[in-house]
Amino acid sequence: AIGKPFEFPELIRAAENNQFGEASAMVFIEGRAYQVVVVPLLVPQPDAWICTGFLLDDKFAGELEKLTLSHVSLLREIKGEWQMVASTLPPALRSQTASALAKHTLREHTSMSLRLGDTDYVSLISPLDKTQDQRVVALLQRSLDEALSPVMQLLLLLAALSMTGLAGSFAIGI
């Protein structure tokens, strides 16, 4: 990139207009997603800009999955068409996710149920970045069966305790 102009000048303009002098955005370089951050180099006055970024891929989504205990997918919408950027979902479910999202009217921070394969997933959509021609969202998903398993275990325990109490009461009554 030496000798070339900075590829994302809108980030520098956004940083100049920000009271803290920084800006970040999700950008796509050769079809790959990056989170890019721009901050001023203050020596002793703003003299240059430092730009750094990191790749948003399946490995990154896996790290988020460890934190959220949910499947994480990063998707981008271009002209009404959803494309998977990164995900922790199995490959067979990735294309189904994009087509399932196309059937819903999405609002920011919306939860919904998506059926992928033969499993229902509780899904939370959260916006990450939006420009004129695209928007990028994070989709957190957890299998409904997996999410309800602790409740089902408690219900079975409650039923067993109730039956034991009922049987004990019946035996004492006799």
Side-chain angles (χ1 to χ4, degrees):
I2 294 174
K4 294 181 182 177
F6 183 58
E7 199 170 338
F8 309 103
E10 65 279 357
L11 273 175
I12 293 177
R13 283 192 294 276
E16 288 173 334
N17 295 331
N18 184 329
Q19 69 180 14
F20 300 109
E22 59 190 39
S24 69
M26 186 175 294
V27 299
F28 289 86
I29 302 171
E30 296 177 6
R32 299 176 76 184
Y34 293 85
Q35 179 67 33
V36 177
V37 179
V38 174
V39 296
L41 178 62
L42 305 171
V43 191
Q45 297 178 3
D47 192 33
W49 295 96
I50 296 175
C51 177
T52 186
F54 55 92
L55 181 63
L56 302 176
D57 58 359
D58 290 348
K59 185 178 176 184
F60 175 76
E63 294 297 320
L64 290 177
E65 180 183 30
K66 290 176 190 174
L67 295 172
T68 62
L69 302 177
S70 301
H71 285 291
V72 176
S73 299
L74 303 174
L75 297 107
R76 81 173 174 173
E77 180 188 36
I78 300 176
K79 300 176 184 170
E81 205 53 47
W82 286 101
Q83 298 173 351
M84 187 70 68
V85 174
S87 182
T88 59
L89 288 170
L93 299 180
R94 291 179 183 208
S95 61
Q96 292 179 25
T97 302
S99 60
L101 280 179
K103 297 175 186 174
H104 285 70
T105 303
L106 303 178
R107 294 182 304 273
E108 295 182 358
H109 305 291
T110 305
S111 63
M112 68 190 93
S113 178
L114 293 178
R115 184 143 185 94
L116 304 176
D118 58 351
T119 306
D120 287 318
Y121 286 86
V122 176
S123 306
L124 173 70
I125 191 161
S126 183
L128 296 178
D129 200 10
K130 186 174 184 175
T131 62
Q132 303 90 328
D133 60 341
Q134 74 176 6
R135 79 174 156 161
V136 181
V137 299
L139 185 66
L140 302 177
Q141 296 176 289
R142 189 151 187 206
S143 162
L144 192 57
D145 295 335
E146 185 181 315
L148 291 177
S149 72
V151 174
M152 295 307 288
Q153 289 175 353
L154 287 174
L155 286 174
L156 289 174
L157 179 62
L158 183 60
L161 288 173
S162 297
M163 292 304 223
T164 303
L166 186 61
S169 296
F170 186 68
I172 291 172
I174 289 179

